[in-house]
Amino acid sequence: MDCYVEDHLNWKPVTPADLEELDCLREQIGSLDDALLSATERPVDLAGDDGLDGNCIGGWDNYGSLLAFGWNVVDPDPGLARVTLVGGVHPTHRYLAIGRKLLAWQQARAVEWWQARRPGTDLWMGCYVEAGQPGLHHNLRNAGFVVERHFIDMHHSLRTVPVPRDVDGVSFVPFEHGHSDELHTLHHLCFGADVNHDHWETSLSRIRPDWSWVALTDEGAIGYVLSGDDGEEGLDAPLEGWTERLGVHPHHRRRGIASALLERTLLSMSRSGCVSAGIGVDTTEPDAGVALQATLGYEQGDSVLLMSKIVTAGKSVS
């Protein structure tokens, strides 16, 4: 595909030799914007067949400085046509409408990749947007993207901790690795997310068993809360416990099981010396954090939107 995006910068494909410079640009943008999206801005694994090849483009000024990039991150599953659009423009050049034209190029490139690699199925394109990025939100909306999910960070001071409630017919036990396979199956049932075994085991390696709990009945596990630390333990910042996963069997919801699990996690974190606890809420409902705030005292922090667009097989991007 032609690398031309617009006239203000010199555009060419990003190669492995450019990755160090690209990382520097990302760091500059993140620092100047006080960005939250570091998790979606990590260097992409280049081991796949797609990698950078044709899917990442950069814009350099006449002095050789990289000032903008667009990276189409392809889902590694060969059965899926999913592309996440990642990019950025240095703040000194945003008034030139480069971002809007770069987004158009990324969409066209996604369609080109899709037609060559995943024909016959619908194409999903997605992009993560912070609350503090109105320009990107505006460009995506005008391009036909709609809000698909809300990601909300919630925080709870551990100066006071609620007394863990009991639930009739349910026992709560600390997590042990022997629960792994059963909880993997339960996670799929709760969310319809087919997390492969290796990825699941990797995620469990990040949790602390003493902060994680399982809800049991005679049927087996019906709920779980899996938590770890936020990586900030030490002299520079107080330790905050972080809940990675929370799920309750659909047949056992609205019984207070999720609240009972979280209350036990809050108490466990407090006893370990944490001063606060956090949880990331992934939901289709923008007000989902209100329930956590009302029932357990969590306070809403940062939020991120996932905006997406579906291109039906046989059609092109408008």
Side-chain angles (χ1 to χ4, degrees):
M1 181 172 170
D2 190 338
C3 293
Y4 175 77
V5 174
E6 51 82 56
D7 291 330
H8 295 95
L9 298 174
N10 303 306
W11 298 90
K12 70 180 183 69
V14 171
T15 68
D18 301 315
L19 286 178
E20 184 174 350
E21 188 176 7
L22 180 56
D23 285 345
C24 289
L25 174 61
R26 285 168 156 168
E27 290 175 4
Q28 290 175 32
I29 292 174
S31 176
L32 291 169
D33 290 349
D34 193 20
L36 308 173
L37 292 176
S38 59
T40 65
E41 295 284 337
R42 293 170 184 159
V44 177
D45 182 5
L46 305 182
D49 293 335
D50 296 294
L52 285 174
D53 186 21
N55 289 321
C56 188
I57 194 170
W60 281 259
D61 66 12
N62 291 331
Y63 299 98
S65 297
L66 179 63
L67 295 175
F69 78 100
W71 197 331
N72 286 8
V73 183
V74 174
D75 192 299
D77 188 330
L80 298 177
R82 293 175 61 88
V83 180
T84 301
L85 310 184
V86 177
V89 179
H90 195 282
T92 59
H93 281 62
R94 288 179 186 165
Y95 68 97
L96 299 171
I98 294 172
R100 175 173 55 82
K101 296 172 183 176
L102 182 57
L103 177 62
W105 184 94
Q106 288 184 272
Q107 291 181 83
R109 170 55 191 157
V111 170
E112 180 184 62
W113 166 85
W114 166 55
Q115 293 173 340
R117 302 290 185 93
R118 308 283 196 272
T121 186
D122 293 349
L123 168 66
W124 178 94
M125 289 184 283
C127 185
Y128 292 92
V129 189
E130 295 180 34
Q133 293 181 301
L136 177 57
H137 188 280
H138 175 78
N139 288 339
L140 289 166
R141 188 176 64 249
N142 284 348
F145 286 72
V146 297
V147 176
E148 179 176 317
R149 301 200 71 80
H150 299 257
F151 300 90
I152 308 165
D153 285 354
M154 307 288 293
H155 302 273
H156 191 298
S157 170
L158 296 180
R159 288 193 296 268
T160 59
V161 179
V163 176
R165 71 192 70 187
D166 294 323
V167 179
D168 289 344
V170 180
S171 60
F172 297 91
V173 300
F175 170 82
E176 296 179 355
H177 196 268
H179 295 121
S180 174
D181 289 344
E182 188 176 13
L183 295 188
H184 186 193
T185 301
L186 179 58
H187 178 75
H188 177 72
L189 180 63
C190 291
F191 299 101
D194 189 12
V195 180
N196 69 52
H197 182 268
D198 290 343
H199 181 76
W200 177 259
E201 288 296 322
T202 298
S203 70
L204 291 185
S205 69
R206 299 192 297 267
I207 74 164
R208 285 186 50 160
D210 56 328
W211 294 355
S212 304
W213 292 81
V214 180
L216 299 173
T217 68
D218 293 340
E219 305 169 20
I222 60 167
Y224 57 92
V225 58
L226 305 176
S227 303
D229 64 62
D230 66 351
E232 297 294 334
E233 183 175 11
L235 296 177
D236 295 333
L239 176 64
E240 179 177 57
W242 191 263
T243 294
E244 298 279 352
R245 299 184 188 275
L246 171 67
V248 176
H249 192 294
H251 294 167
H252 293 273
R253 291 173 183 168
R254 304 187 186 280
R255 298 177 58 194
I257 294 172
S259 295
L261 286 164
L262 283 172
E263 286 163 348
R264 283 163 172 80
T265 286
L266 294 175
L267 182 59
S268 299
M269 292 175 178
S270 175
R271 287 174 172 171
S272 294
C274 296
V275 298
S276 64
I279 183 172
V281 179
D282 173 358
T283 178
T284 58
E285 301 296 330
D287 297 325
V290 173
L292 279 176
Q293 187 168 358
T295 60
L296 295 178
Y298 281 84
E299 297 290 338
Q300 183 168 323
D302 300 320
S303 63
V304 173
L305 301 177
L306 172 60
M307 298 185 69
S308 64
K309 177 177 182 175
I310 303 293
V311 182
T312 304
K315 296 185 179 181
S316 60
V317 175
S318 58

